[in-house]
Amino acid sequence: MDFDALLAQDHVAIVDELPSRKTALRQLAESLAQRLPDQSYREIFFKLQEREQEGSTSLDEIPVAIPHCRVEGCEVPIAALLRTRNGSTVDFGGTNVQLIFAMCFPQNRPEEALEVLRMFVTVVGNNACLQKLLLAESPQALHELLRIAWQAETLV
């Protein structure tokens, strides 16, 4: 999978703080909707919230969440990344997270969705890589660090 097709650099943001999971999901839905012109951000936001209601997408023991949904009209997996600055966290269903990787997937390709989720979990599951991502100074640096880690993982 082409990482830059999945996560374009202009869909990575670092914010000072997020007051709530709902705010984080709204910002991520707005970013994802820019890549899906036939979908409103509200529809994506609703689907991300619906998925969170089924069970939090935060990962055990690390400050990361991976909200995701299937969207009509989505032809390839797309992602948006949001990170808080200076150790600020947002409550994601009882887990405080700093890094939120939201994804939209095509409705008819569940294997592809599972592969993208597995890759991201593998990358952030590496503590050294996670620490670099949490300390990146800019959205561009965050994107580049994640891209390098993603590509290294595909070579394994």
Side-chain angles (χ1 to χ4, degrees), residues 119-139:
M119 280 292 292
F120 183 73
V121 170
T122 300
V123 167
V124 298
N126 176 318
N127 190 52
C129 179
L130 177 60
Q131 292 310 309
K132 288 178 185 176
L133 295 172
L134 294 175
L135 295 173
E137 293 289 325
S138 68

Side-chain angles (χ1 to χ4, degrees), residues 57-72:
T57 58
S58 61
L59 301 177
D60 292 335
E61 318 245 340
I62 59 175
V64 177
I66 51 171
H68 54 280
C69 62
R70 297 187 195 292
V71 176
E72 190 173 314

Side-chain angles (χ1 to χ4, degrees), residues 2-24:
D2 178 11
F3 178 78
D4 291 313
L6 173 68
L7 179 63
Q9 185 172 328
D10 58 343
H11 293 278
V12 176
I14 298 176
V15 298
D16 289 329
E17 63 180 48
L18 291 165
S20 67
R21 173 171 49 174
K22 187 174 182 179
T23 301

Side-chain angles (χ1 to χ4, degrees), residues 1 9 26-27 37 41-43 54 57 75 78 80 82 98 101 108 116 118 120 123-124 126 131 142-143 153:
M1 164 163 289
Q9 185 172 328
R26 180 175 292 117
Q27 287 183 20
Y41 94 87
R42 287 183 179 93
E43 182 65 22
E54 292 174 14
T57 58
E75 301 296 324
I78 60 169
L82 190 58
Q98 293 174 268
F101 189 70
N108 59 351
V116 172
R118 184 197 66 75
F120 183 73
V123 167
V124 298
N126 176 318
Q131 292 310 309
L142 179 58
H143 181 268
E153 193 55 42

Side-chain angles (χ1 to χ4, degrees), residues 21-132:
R21 173 171 49 174
K22 187 174 182 179
T23 301
L25 293 175
R26 180 175 292 117
Q27 287 183 20
L28 289 159
E30 288 172 355
S31 182
L32 291 164
Q34 292 173 11
R35 300 209 28 217
L36 295 170
D38 295 336
Q39 288 289 330
S40 74
Y41 94 87
R42 287 183 179 93
E43 182 65 22
I44 296 168
F45 174 60
F46 173 77
K47 289 180 182 250
L48 290 172
Q49 277 193 302
E50 188 174 62
R51 172 58 188 86
E52 285 298 315
Q53 289 171 354
E54 292 174 14
S56 176
T57 58
S58 61
L59 301 177
D60 292 335
E61 318 245 340
I62 59 175
V64 177
I66 51 171
H68 54 280
C69 62
R70 297 187 195 292
V71 176
E72 190 173 314
C74 183
E75 301 296 324
V76 296
I78 60 169
L81 182 64
L82 190 58
R83 199 203 76 208
T84 58
R85 193 182 311 277
N86 300 325
S88 174
T89 63
V90 61
D91 181 1
F92 246 75
T95 301
N96 292 325
V97 303
Q98 293 174 268
L99 188 67
I100 308 161
F101 189 70
M103 294 158 280
C104 289
F105 297 112
Q107 290 186 322
N108 59 351
R109 299 202 309 259
E111 315 79 33
E112 193 172 28
L114 291 173
E115 179 62 19
V116 172
L117 289 166
R118 184 197 66 75
M119 280 292 292
F120 183 73
V121 170
T122 300
V123 167
V124 298
N126 176 318
N127 190 52
C129 179
L130 177 60
Q131 292 310 309
K132 288 178 185 176

